[in-house]
Amino acid sequence: MRLSRFYLPLLKETPSEAQIASHRLMLRAGMIRQQGAGIYAWLPLGFLVLKKIEQIVREEQDRAGAVEMLMPTIQPADLWRESGRYDAYGKEMLRITDRSDREMLFGPTNEEMITEIFRAGVRSYKDLPKMLYHIQWKFRDEIRPRFGVMRGREFLMKDTYSFDIDEAEARRSYNKMFVAYLRTFARMGLKSIPMRADTGPIGGDLSHEFIVLAETGESAVFCDERLIDMEVPDKETDFDGDLQPVFDQFTSLYAATDEMHNNEDFEKRVPSENRMSARGIEIGHIFYFGTKYSLPMKASVAGADGKDSPVHMGSYGVGVSRLLGAIIEAFHDDDGCKWPMSVAPFHVGVINLKSGDDACDKACATLYDALREAGVDVLYDDTGGRAGEKFARMDLIGLPYQVVVGPRGLKSGNVEIKRRSDGEREEVSVDSAVHFIAERVSDALKVE
RNA sequence: CGGGGCGUAGCGCAGCCUGGUAGCGCAUCUGGUUUGGGACCAGAGGGUCGCAAGUUCGAAUCUUGCCGCCCCGACCA
């Protein structure tokens, strides 16, 4: 992409409403634009990242055996009357009426709808287990939206729903998502920690929040710091096999959010040198809720004995749009974003320091074409303007690598390559630059 | 929803207390000098001061109502 064609409205000054780094940087880097409280338009740069995050989520869901579909944003109220949640949900749910005065709502989640869809098509235990997911915009009329996309009212969420014949089988589905989540967040460079979450009236131990540690996190968390470097299962993991050992391993050490924290327990189970109290951002939440919806909504299947019984369900959410905020919180400095390669809007930025200069233009054009040929996403800064402005802009948007092409280096046939993550620079010849970048990009994108 | 604050040019703000017909920085446009980390000089364009009503000879400024947004708290992916 040529910068001169792109739409990248940057802000030099910090908008007054942005309190935390991710919100500030998303506004300054021209990724989002606010349209109302907790409602954002995704500008080209932000949208590129959003799509990359979405794709990683999708790939790991598919790997775990879930099947993608798409449910509507608008749902009929009657569906929610079946589960009893139409009245229970409260003002968080945006209720609307259509031209015939039919009661509708903008979906805050999809348990009811997926249950209706499932019950319409499945009769026998032989059709189980099933895991279905979609990635769709949700609306929750939060009392107080804040922190940009971290707590918006409209947000993009991946939600998966599992259907099993009994609790033991449901646990297997739960474990699949548990592992899928560990992998999903790791691929984005995040160290996520599963923490016991409140299961509410249903009870049991089957609800976990996936937390990424960040100073600006919304909740206080307490954990054994050895969890941070626990090894995430690789892509050869057999999702049809027994995943219980992985679950056991990750849940063997203490980890709890504020609500679930028990200090006595914490001190008993965690050696003092490993105790960690920090703040965290919730980026995923998985939940087993048994027959909560299948019973009232009559989603049953015939068992081997010919008798009908309600299916056991679970739901598994990932805050896709929220992840942008979480990733920036984890990877940024005073100058801007520092995207991990896997979610970067472009892998590399080519900076033409002297647009209009024959040698510079030529070298840049060669690099631009060759990099794209090599499968690298390139943003080519072909604009006029001063060097300082170009450097600052590229640092702000935070592409993993910058290739600086200027008359000074070209005299000796060289360009400068800067790595955004640590600022390390290296002079390489124009000829070897493509290989240099392409190799590092493909290494960084390798899925393990 | 309780408490606090803010709406003045694209962005950041001053002016409001003490009414007199709107200003600064950045950005934008033109010309020139510059050119490897957000340049400089000269000039120009751009605002029904959130909306509505009221007080007044006169309202960005005072009064009332409404709308929007932000911050703290309780709630949430």
Side-chain angles (χ1 to χ4, degrees), chain A residues 35 54-55 83 92 136 224 299 333 373-374 385 422 429 436:
Chain A
Q35 299 298 327
E54 183 183 327
Q55 184 56 25
S83 70
E92 247 191 1
Q136 177 63 291
D224 189 320
D333 60 19
E373 195 68 30
D422 57 7
S429 70
F436 184 101

Side-chain angles (χ1 to χ4, degrees), chain A residues 29-75:
Chain A
M31 303 180 71
I32 53 171
R33 181 163 176 82
Q34 182 168 2
Q35 299 298 327
I39 300 174
Y40 293 87
W42 293 82
L43 306 184
L45 192 74
F47 189 50
L48 285 169
V49 179
L50 190 67
K51 284 190 286 187
K52 292 221 174 163
I53 291 174
E54 183 183 327
Q55 184 56 25
I56 290 175
V57 170
R58 174 176 293 119
E59 286 172 15
E60 293 303 324
Q61 286 298 299
D62 293 348
R63 191 192 308 282
V67 182
E68 187 171 15
M69 59 180 296
L70 185 60
M71 290 179 267
T73 53
I74 306 291
Q75 307 182 25

Side-chain angles (χ1 to χ4, degrees), chain A residues 224-434:
Chain A
D224 189 320
E225 69 177 7
R226 286 171 294 183
L227 273 165
I228 294 172
D229 292 312
M230 212 167 254
E231 200 172 327
V232 169
D234 67 23
K235 69 171 177 187
E236 305 306 333
T237 300
D238 177 12
F239 278 87
D240 290 321
D242 184 10
L243 298 174
Q244 193 63 35
V246 181
F247 176 88
D248 291 342
Q249 181 200 345
F250 274 87
T251 53
S252 62
L253 297 175
Y254 188 95
T257 58
D258 219 1
E259 311 87 77
M260 298 293 286
H261 180 56
N262 176 320
N263 210 48
E264 203 176 310
D265 222 25
F266 185 47
E267 288 177 3
K268 198 164 69 191
R269 287 180 51 192
V270 186
S272 58
E273 69 270 21
N274 292 330
R275 279 178 213 152
M276 187 161 168
S277 77
R279 301 197 67 80
I281 301 166
E282 183 183 354
I283 50 178
H285 196 161
I286 61 178
F287 209 101
Y288 164 72
F289 48 71
T291 59
K292 182 176 176 186
Y293 300 96
S294 56
L295 201 57
M297 294 187 69
K298 302 184 172 58
S300 304
V301 295
D305 56 2
K307 279 189 197 152
D308 274 2
S309 63
V311 291
H312 286 247
M313 295 172 57
S315 73
Y316 314 88
V318 169
V320 175
S321 47
R322 170 180 279 193
L323 271 166
L324 266 93
I327 292 169
I328 296 175
E329 290 298 327
F331 304 106
H332 73 275
D333 60 19
D334 288 345
D335 296 328
C337 307
K338 295 170 29 169
W339 294 112
M341 190 67 77
S342 61
V343 298
F346 299 95
H347 300 134
V348 58
V350 172
I351 299 177
N352 187 341
L353 280 184
K354 197 167 185 182
S355 189
D357 175 89
D358 212 39
C360 287
D361 289 352
K362 230 165 160 179
C364 285
T366 306
L367 285 168
Y368 182 45
D369 290 341
L371 282 166
R372 285 190 301 160
E373 195 68 30
V376 176
D377 292 343
V378 190
L379 180 65
Y380 170 25
D381 182 352
D382 59 340
T383 63
R386 309 176 64 79
E389 184 189 358
K390 287 167 175 260
F391 292 135
R393 175 167 55 211
M394 206 54 92
D395 284 347
L396 176 60
I397 66 176
L399 308 184
Y401 284 96
Q402 302 171 7
V403 179
V404 181
V405 181
R408 212 164 70 189
L410 281 184
K411 269 185 207 146
S412 41
N414 288 339
V415 295
E416 184 182 276
I417 292 176
K418 173 179 162 182
R419 184 162 61 197
R420 181 66 178 90
S421 58
D422 57 7
E424 189 184 301
R425 295 154 199 264
E426 197 162 335
E427 285 258 323
V428 305
S429 70
V430 176
D431 296 335
S432 60
V434 173

Side-chain angles (χ1 to χ4, degrees), chain A residues 71-80 86 96 103-114 134 138:
Chain A
M71 290 179 267
T73 53
I74 306 291
Q75 307 182 25
D78 281 347
L79 206 47
W80 285 64
Y86 191 68
I96 45 190
E103 293 174 279
M104 317 287 282
L105 57 97
F106 197 120
T109 178
N110 287 71
E111 278 84 6
E112 282 79 0
M113 185 169 284
I114 196 71
H134 76 338
K138 306 281 194 288

